[in-house]
């Protein structure tokens, strides 16, 4: 006799009860971009409904998000002045540090701020750290600057750090310097497996971080390498990362599943700008049912094993009642 699996799918109430994977807004992080100035809200052509905002505008956005139950943001800073070493990120009165202090004074614990910890948005060359005389990223010199940046953000009362440079020794260095300065309880969500991906294009428009020469393949993960991708995350776990991450998400669902099965740490998936842009183009053309497509796409990331999803869709998912 054959098994009738449809028995559990015919009644919609029963179907809902047996749903294995659900989206909850508590699991989502919303990325935001801050720039210098006052009253600034710049639209980005390649990312509909995503804006560069000055801190005074950003605070209004955060207040709106909090009312919707969205209380976790990932903050990216885009300073007006960039140089070879990303000096604004090393300044206690720099854009990111001042924005965090401003938001915390106004919103206190109503908002949880995760700071992107990198140099690509702060350097005029667009790479994620200090370059040597040949134009190649100097790993160990960059670690020293990352440690400085981390302490400045910690002193600004950031709630979590998210180092994104994929540098060797990054988590060990940050955990060491934070402990030495009594920031034992500041968590680190590592971009532990971050692929060198074409899906980052729209983000680089927003962050103005496209490398002016070369690419990031010498430090970001080879998109064809599965075993190496797992090793990268397990290495960051050994260096005491608190949360692991796979970026991008959609083309790397297999890697999310692989790491989920290898690690008991919380695992984040970054639903990146290119993935967002593709769905927005589908919405614009009307070729597919956008709401159903969005729900199916984001659910696949949770089903693959992600505990946390960083997504530009977060606010509209809430507005549509999809979570």
């Amino acid at each position: 006799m054959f098994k009738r699996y449809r028995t559990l799918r015919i009644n919609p109430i029963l179907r809902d009860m047996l749903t294995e994977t659900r989206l909850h807004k508590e699991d989502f992080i919303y990325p935001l971009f801050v720039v210098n100035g006052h009253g600034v809200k710049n639209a980005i052509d390649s990312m509909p409904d995503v804006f560069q905002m000055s801190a005074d505008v950003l605070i209004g956005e955060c207040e709106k998000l909090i009312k919707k139950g969205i209380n976790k943001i990932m903050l990216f800073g885009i300073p007006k002045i960039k140089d070879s070493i990303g000096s604004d990120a090393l300044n206690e009165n720099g854009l990111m540090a001042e924005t965090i202090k401003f938001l915390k004074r106004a919103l206190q614990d109503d908002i949880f701020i995760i700071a992107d910890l990198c140099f690509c948005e702060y350097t005029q060359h667009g790479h994620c750290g200090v370059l040597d005389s040949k134009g190649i990223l100097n790993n160990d010199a960059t670690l020293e600057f990352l440690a400085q940046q981390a302490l400045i953000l910690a002193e600004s009362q950031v709630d979590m750090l998210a180092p994104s440079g994929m540098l060797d020794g990054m988590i060990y260095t940050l955990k060491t310097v934070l402990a030495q300065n009594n920031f034992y309880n500041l968590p680190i969500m590592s971009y532990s497996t971050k692929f060198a991906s074409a899906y980052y294009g729209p983000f680089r428009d927003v962050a103005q971080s496209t490398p002016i020469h070369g690419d990031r393949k010498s430090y970001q993960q080879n998109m064809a390498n599965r075993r190496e991708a797992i090793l990268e995350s397990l290495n960051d776990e050994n260096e005491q990362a608190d949360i692991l991450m796979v970026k991008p998400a959609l083309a790397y669902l297999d890697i999310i599943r692989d790491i989920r099965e290898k690690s008991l740490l919380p695992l984040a998936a970054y639903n990146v700008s290119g993935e967002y842009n593709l769905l927005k183009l589908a919405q614009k053309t009307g070729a597919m049912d956008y709401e159903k497509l969005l729900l199916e796409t984001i659910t696949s990331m949770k089903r693959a094993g992600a505990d946390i999803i960083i997504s530009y869709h977060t606010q509209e998912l809430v507005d549509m009642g999809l979570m």
Side-chain angles (χ1 to χ4, degrees), residues 36 62 102 104 117 122 137 145 151 175 199 217 222 225 245 251 253 257 300 309 315-316:
N36 295 108
C62 289
F102 177 66
K104 279 297 179 181
L117 190 67
Y122 300 90
L137 188 137
F145 283 150
L151 285 179
K175 280 292 185 179
Y199 280 101
K217 291 182 179 180
N222 184 340
N225 288 6
M245 186 199 298
L253 297 175
R257 171 51 55 189
S300 74
I309 297 177
Q315 188 169 187
E316 65 177 331

Side-chain angles (χ1 to χ4, degrees), residues 140-159:
D140 294 10
T142 300
L143 291 180
E144 294 181 19
F145 283 150
L146 278 176
Q148 293 179 44
Q149 186 185 18
L151 285 179
I152 288 169
L153 297 179
E155 289 162 358
S156 302
Q157 297 186 306
V158 75
D159 295 299

